[in-house]
Short mmCIF file of all heavy atoms in Angstrom, two decimals:
data_model
loop_
_atom_site.label_atom_id
_atom_site.label_comp_id
_atom_site.label_asym_id
_atom_site.label_seq_id
_atom_site.Cartn_x
_atom_site.Cartn_y
_atom_site.Cartn_z
N THR W 24 72.00 201.55 155.51
CA THR W 24 72.78 201.04 156.55
C THR W 24 73.84 200.03 156.03
O THR W 24 73.59 199.49 155.06
CB THR W 24 71.86 200.35 157.65
OG1 THR W 24 71.23 199.34 156.88
CG2 THR W 24 70.92 201.32 158.19
N PRO W 25 74.94 200.07 156.63
CA PRO W 25 76.09 199.12 156.16
C PRO W 25 75.57 197.74 156.25
O PRO W 25 74.80 197.28 157.22
CB PRO W 25 77.16 199.49 157.03
CG PRO W 25 76.64 200.14 158.38
CD PRO W 25 75.36 200.86 157.90
N LYS W 26 76.00 196.92 155.23
CA LYS W 26 75.58 195.55 155.16
C LYS W 26 76.28 194.78 156.40
O LYS W 26 77.41 195.12 156.80
CB LYS W 26 75.98 194.97 153.85
CG LYS W 26 75.17 195.49 152.76
CD LYS W 26 75.54 194.78 151.38
CE LYS W 26 74.66 195.20 150.23
NZ LYS W 26 75.08 194.55 148.96
N ALA W 27 75.58 193.76 156.86
CA ALA W 27 76.21 192.97 158.03
C ALA W 27 77.37 192.25 157.39
O ALA W 27 77.28 191.65 156.30
CB ALA W 27 75.05 192.00 158.56
N VAL W 28 78.38 192.11 158.24
CA VAL W 28 79.57 191.44 157.76
C VAL W 28 79.24 189.82 157.82
O VAL W 28 78.85 189.36 158.94
CB VAL W 28 80.84 191.82 158.58
CG1 VAL W 28 82.01 190.99 158.11
CG2 VAL W 28 80.99 193.21 158.42
N GLU W 29 79.39 189.29 156.75
CA GLU W 29 79.23 187.73 156.81
C GLU W 29 80.27 187.10 157.50
O GLU W 29 81.56 187.30 157.25
CB GLU W 29 78.98 187.13 155.36
CG GLU W 29 77.88 187.73 154.69
CD GLU W 29 77.65 187.06 153.36
OE1 GLU W 29 78.55 186.29 152.93
OE2 GLU W 29 76.68 187.56 152.62
N THR W 30 80.04 186.06 158.38
CA THR W 30 80.92 185.31 158.95
C THR W 30 80.78 183.89 158.85
O THR W 30 79.72 183.49 158.46
CB THR W 30 80.84 185.54 160.54
OG1 THR W 30 79.78 185.26 161.02
CG2 THR W 30 81.22 187.07 160.73
N ASP W 31 81.78 183.00 159.03
CA ASP W 31 81.63 181.64 158.96
C ASP W 31 81.20 180.92 160.12
O ASP W 31 81.30 179.69 160.31
CB ASP W 31 82.99 181.01 158.38
CG ASP W 31 83.41 181.58 157.08
OD1 ASP W 31 82.48 181.91 156.21
OD2 ASP W 31 84.58 181.67 156.75
N VAL W 32 80.83 181.64 161.04
CA VAL W 32 80.42 181.07 162.49
C VAL W 32 79.13 180.43 162.26
O VAL W 32 78.14 180.98 161.87
CB VAL W 32 80.35 182.20 163.53
CG1 VAL W 32 79.82 181.59 164.83
CG2 VAL W 32 81.67 182.94 163.73
N LYS W 33 78.98 179.14 162.61
CA LYS W 33 77.80 178.38 162.45
C LYS W 33 77.06 178.40 163.83
O LYS W 33 77.73 178.46 164.87
CB LYS W 33 78.14 177.01 162.02
CG LYS W 33 78.71 176.93 160.59
CD LYS W 33 79.01 175.53 160.28
CE LYS W 33 79.53 175.46 158.77
NZ LYS W 33 79.87 173.98 158.45
N PRO W 34 75.75 178.16 163.80
CA PRO W 34 75.09 178.09 165.04
C PRO W 34 75.47 176.94 165.99
O PRO W 34 75.57 175.85 165.34
CB PRO W 34 73.59 177.97 164.65
CG PRO W 34 73.70 177.56 163.28
CD PRO W 34 74.87 178.02 162.77
N VAL W 35 75.58 177.10 167.21
CA VAL W 35 75.93 175.96 168.09
C VAL W 35 74.80 174.89 168.29
O VAL W 35 73.69 175.42 168.59
CB VAL W 35 76.32 176.60 169.33
CG1 VAL W 35 76.81 175.33 170.28
CG2 VAL W 35 77.54 177.56 169.29
N LYS W 36 75.20 173.77 168.03
CA LYS W 36 74.24 172.66 168.11
C LYS W 36 74.01 172.14 169.56
O LYS W 36 75.04 172.30 170.26
CB LYS W 36 74.49 171.46 167.30
CG LYS W 36 74.53 171.70 165.67
CD LYS W 36 74.81 170.57 164.90
CE LYS W 36 74.81 170.86 163.43
NZ LYS W 36 75.12 169.70 162.56
N ASN W 37 72.87 171.78 169.93
CA ASN W 37 72.79 171.15 171.20
C ASN W 37 73.61 170.10 171.49
O ASN W 37 73.77 169.20 170.59
CB ASN W 37 71.29 170.71 171.54
CG ASN W 37 70.44 172.03 171.50
OD1 ASN W 37 70.68 173.03 171.81
ND2 ASN W 37 69.09 171.84 171.02
N LYS W 38 74.26 170.09 172.58
CA LYS W 38 75.16 168.87 172.88
C LYS W 38 74.36 167.54 173.04
O LYS W 38 73.32 167.55 173.59
CB LYS W 38 76.07 169.15 174.10
CG LYS W 38 77.18 168.20 174.45
CD LYS W 38 77.85 168.60 175.71
CE LYS W 38 79.06 167.69 175.89
NZ LYS W 38 79.81 168.01 177.09
N LEU W 39 74.95 166.55 172.35
CA LEU W 39 74.44 165.19 172.38
C LEU W 39 74.62 164.56 173.76
O LEU W 39 75.71 164.85 174.42
CB LEU W 39 74.87 164.26 171.31
CG LEU W 39 74.62 164.62 169.94
CD1 LEU W 39 75.36 163.81 169.00
CD2 LEU W 39 73.13 164.48 169.63
N HIS W 40 73.61 163.88 174.26
CA HIS W 40 73.76 163.16 175.60
C HIS W 40 73.06 161.88 175.43
O HIS W 40 71.88 161.72 174.93
CB HIS W 40 72.93 164.04 176.69
CG HIS W 40 72.91 163.23 177.99
ND1 HIS W 40 74.11 162.84 178.70
CD2 HIS W 40 71.89 162.77 178.73
CE1 HIS W 40 73.69 162.10 179.78
NE2 HIS W 40 72.38 162.12 179.82
N PHE W 41 73.90 160.82 175.85
CA PHE W 41 73.36 159.29 175.78
C PHE W 41 73.07 159.02 177.17
O PHE W 41 74.03 158.82 177.97
CB PHE W 41 74.34 158.46 175.12
CG PHE W 41 73.98 156.98 175.25
CD1 PHE W 41 72.72 156.59 174.71
CD2 PHE W 41 74.88 156.13 175.72
CE1 PHE W 41 72.35 155.32 174.84
CE2 PHE W 41 74.44 154.82 175.75
CZ PHE W 41 73.27 154.31 175.39
N ASP W 42 71.92 158.58 177.56
CA ASP W 42 71.61 158.17 178.84
C ASP W 42 71.66 156.50 178.78
O ASP W 42 70.77 155.97 178.24
CB ASP W 42 70.06 158.68 179.14
CG ASP W 42 69.65 158.24 180.62
OD1 ASP W 42 70.42 157.61 181.29
OD2 ASP W 42 68.75 158.72 181.03
N GLN W 43 72.49 156.10 179.48
CA GLN W 43 72.76 154.44 179.59
C GLN W 43 71.66 153.89 180.13
O GLN W 43 71.33 152.66 179.96
CB GLN W 43 74.11 154.27 180.19
CG GLN W 43 75.33 154.80 179.47
CD GLN W 43 76.68 154.25 180.14
OE1 GLN W 43 76.78 153.19 180.33
NE2 GLN W 43 77.66 155.13 180.18
N GLU W 44 70.99 154.65 181.15
CA GLU W 44 69.84 153.98 182.01
C GLU W 44 68.72 153.72 181.05
O GLU W 44 67.97 152.78 181.11
CB GLU W 44 69.57 154.76 183.14
CG GLU W 44 70.58 154.59 184.26
CD GLU W 44 70.22 155.40 185.56
OE1 GLU W 44 69.12 155.73 185.59
OE2 GLU W 44 71.05 155.39 186.50
N THR W 45 68.47 154.79 180.28
CA THR W 45 67.33 154.79 179.21
C THR W 45 67.65 153.66 178.14
O THR W 45 66.71 152.94 177.68
CB THR W 45 67.18 156.08 178.55
OG1 THR W 45 66.81 157.12 179.62
CG2 THR W 45 65.87 156.06 177.50
N GLY W 46 68.85 153.64 177.73
CA GLY W 46 69.28 152.53 176.79
C GLY W 46 68.94 152.88 175.33
O GLY W 46 68.67 154.10 174.93
N LEU W 47 68.99 151.92 174.56
CA LEU W 47 68.89 152.03 173.05
C LEU W 47 67.57 151.42 172.55
O LEU W 47 67.04 150.41 173.02
CB LEU W 47 70.06 151.36 172.28
CG LEU W 47 71.44 151.88 172.70
CD1 LEU W 47 72.52 151.00 172.09
CD2 LEU W 47 71.62 153.37 172.11
N LEU W 48 67.09 151.93 171.49
CA LEU W 48 65.89 151.29 170.70
C LEU W 48 66.52 150.33 169.82
O LEU W 48 67.55 150.53 169.11
CB LEU W 48 65.23 152.45 169.91
CG LEU W 48 64.09 152.07 169.02
CD1 LEU W 48 62.84 151.76 169.81
CD2 LEU W 48 63.65 153.18 167.98
N TRP W 49 65.77 149.22 169.56
CA TRP W 49 66.16 148.25 168.62
C TRP W 49 66.09 148.88 167.35
O TRP W 49 64.95 149.17 166.88
CB TRP W 49 65.36 146.82 168.72
CG TRP W 49 65.71 146.00 169.96
CD1 TRP W 49 65.40 146.30 171.27
CD2 TRP W 49 66.33 144.89 169.84
NE1 TRP W 49 65.89 145.20 171.97
CE2 TRP W 49 66.49 144.37 171.14
CE3 TRP W 49 67.10 144.14 168.83
CZ2 TRP W 49 67.26 143.10 171.45
CZ3 TRP W 49 67.67 143.04 169.05
CH2 TRP W 49 67.78 142.42 170.43
N PRO W 50 67.20 148.69 166.42
CA PRO W 50 67.08 149.23 165.20
C PRO W 50 66.28 148.49 164.12
O PRO W 50 65.62 149.00 163.27
CB PRO W 50 68.52 149.28 164.52
CG PRO W 50 69.20 148.10 165.50
CD PRO W 50 68.48 148.17 166.78
N VAL W 51 66.15 147.17 164.37
CA VAL W 51 65.22 146.30 163.69
C VAL W 51 64.79 145.26 164.51
O VAL W 51 65.49 144.93 165.60
CB VAL W 51 65.78 145.57 162.30
CG1 VAL W 51 66.14 146.71 161.31
CG2 VAL W 51 67.07 144.89 162.67
N ASN W 52 63.61 144.64 164.33
CA ASN W 52 63.08 143.52 165.15
C ASN W 52 63.44 142.23 164.45
O ASN W 52 63.07 142.03 163.20
CB ASN W 52 61.54 143.70 165.29
CG ASN W 52 61.19 144.87 166.07
OD1 ASN W 52 61.83 145.12 167.13
ND2 ASN W 52 60.10 145.48 165.75
N GLY W 53 64.24 141.37 164.97
CA GLY W 53 64.61 140.15 164.54
C GLY W 53 65.33 139.31 165.52
O GLY W 53 65.70 139.69 166.48
N GLU W 54 65.66 138.01 165.00
CA GLU W 54 66.42 137.18 165.79
C GLU W 54 67.88 137.45 165.71
O GLU W 54 68.39 137.98 164.72
CB GLU W 54 66.11 135.71 165.11
CG GLU W 54 66.93 134.59 165.84
CD GLU W 54 66.84 133.19 165.10
OE1 GLU W 54 66.03 133.14 164.14
OE2 GLU W 54 67.44 132.25 165.58
N ILE W 55 68.63 137.13 166.81
CA ILE W 55 70.07 137.39 166.86
C ILE W 55 70.68 136.14 166.23
O ILE W 55 70.61 135.02 166.69
CB ILE W 55 70.53 137.44 168.29
CG1 ILE W 55 69.79 138.68 169.10
CG2 ILE W 55 72.05 137.69 168.27
CD1 ILE W 55 70.07 139.90 168.42
N LEU W 56 71.33 136.44 164.95
CA LEU W 56 72.00 135.42 164.24
C LEU W 56 73.41 134.98 164.89
O LEU W 56 73.80 133.93 164.87
CB LEU W 56 72.20 135.79 162.85
CG LEU W 56 70.92 135.89 161.96
CD1 LEU W 56 71.22 136.54 160.57
CD2 LEU W 56 70.14 134.66 161.88
N MET W 57 74.03 136.24 165.36
CA MET W 57 75.32 136.02 165.99
C MET W 57 75.49 137.00 167.10
O MET W 57 75.38 138.26 166.80
CB MET W 57 76.38 136.16 164.92
CG MET W 57 77.84 135.79 165.36
SD MET W 57 79.07 135.79 163.98
CE MET W 57 78.41 134.58 162.93
N GLU W 58 75.83 136.50 168.29
CA GLU W 58 76.00 137.42 169.37
C GLU W 58 77.30 138.15 169.45
O GLU W 58 78.29 137.67 168.71
CB GLU W 58 75.83 136.59 170.67
CG GLU W 58 74.35 136.06 170.86
CD GLU W 58 74.35 135.28 172.29
OE1 GLU W 58 75.26 135.19 173.02
OE2 GLU W 58 73.11 134.98 172.54
N TYR W 59 77.34 139.31 170.18
CA TYR W 59 78.62 139.92 170.37
C TYR W 59 79.55 139.09 171.22
O TYR W 59 79.08 138.41 172.21
CB TYR W 59 78.26 141.19 171.11
CG TYR W 59 79.50 142.05 171.64
CD1 TYR W 59 80.10 142.88 170.79
CD2 TYR W 59 80.00 141.75 172.84
CE1 TYR W 59 81.32 143.63 171.25
CE2 TYR W 59 81.01 142.59 173.35
CZ TYR W 59 81.72 143.40 172.49
OH TYR W 59 82.80 144.13 172.98
N SER W 60 80.85 139.07 170.75
CA SER W 60 81.73 138.22 171.46
C SER W 60 83.18 138.77 171.18
O SER W 60 83.87 138.71 170.10
CB SER W 60 81.72 136.77 170.85
OG SER W 60 82.70 136.01 171.51
N ALA W 61 83.62 139.53 172.18
CA ALA W 61 84.93 140.16 172.00
C ALA W 61 86.00 139.49 172.73
O ALA W 61 87.22 139.61 172.56
CB ALA W 61 84.71 141.65 172.63
N ASP W 62 85.53 138.53 173.72
CA ASP W 62 86.60 137.85 174.57
C ASP W 62 86.76 136.44 174.05
O ASP W 62 87.83 135.78 174.48
CB ASP W 62 86.12 137.81 176.03
CG ASP W 62 85.87 139.21 176.59
OD1 ASP W 62 86.66 140.18 176.19
OD2 ASP W 62 85.04 139.31 177.53
N LYS W 63 85.94 135.88 173.41
CA LYS W 63 86.13 134.52 172.85
C LYS W 63 85.63 134.46 171.33
O LYS W 63 84.80 135.37 170.92
CB LYS W 63 85.36 133.46 173.78
CG LYS W 63 83.86 133.66 173.71
CD LYS W 63 83.18 132.78 174.66
CE LYS W 63 81.68 132.96 174.79
NZ LYS W 63 80.94 131.85 175.48
#
């Protein structure tokens, strides 16, 4: 049988979804040395 033609098409990955209500896991456990401050 003829060989299958190789293509560069990659399998489609599941679309990422971030649920803001669920929120984020702490990447490490520790004290906050410096808080986020974009306005001051």
Side-chain angles (χ1 to χ4, degrees):
T24 54
K26 294 183 178 179
V28 179
E29 294 183 0
T30 62
D31 295 332
V32 178
K33 295 181 180 179
V35 179
K36 294 181 180 179
N37 294 330
K38 187 176 180 180
L39 293 168
H40 171 64
F41 173 56
D42 187 351
Q43 297 184 47
E44 292 185 2
T45 302
L47 298 170
L48 177 73
W49 281 77
V51 292
N52 294 321
E54 180 185 353
I55 302 298
L56 294 178
M57 190 174 295
E58 295 182 353
Y59 172 85
S60 178
D62 299 330
K63 60 181 181 178

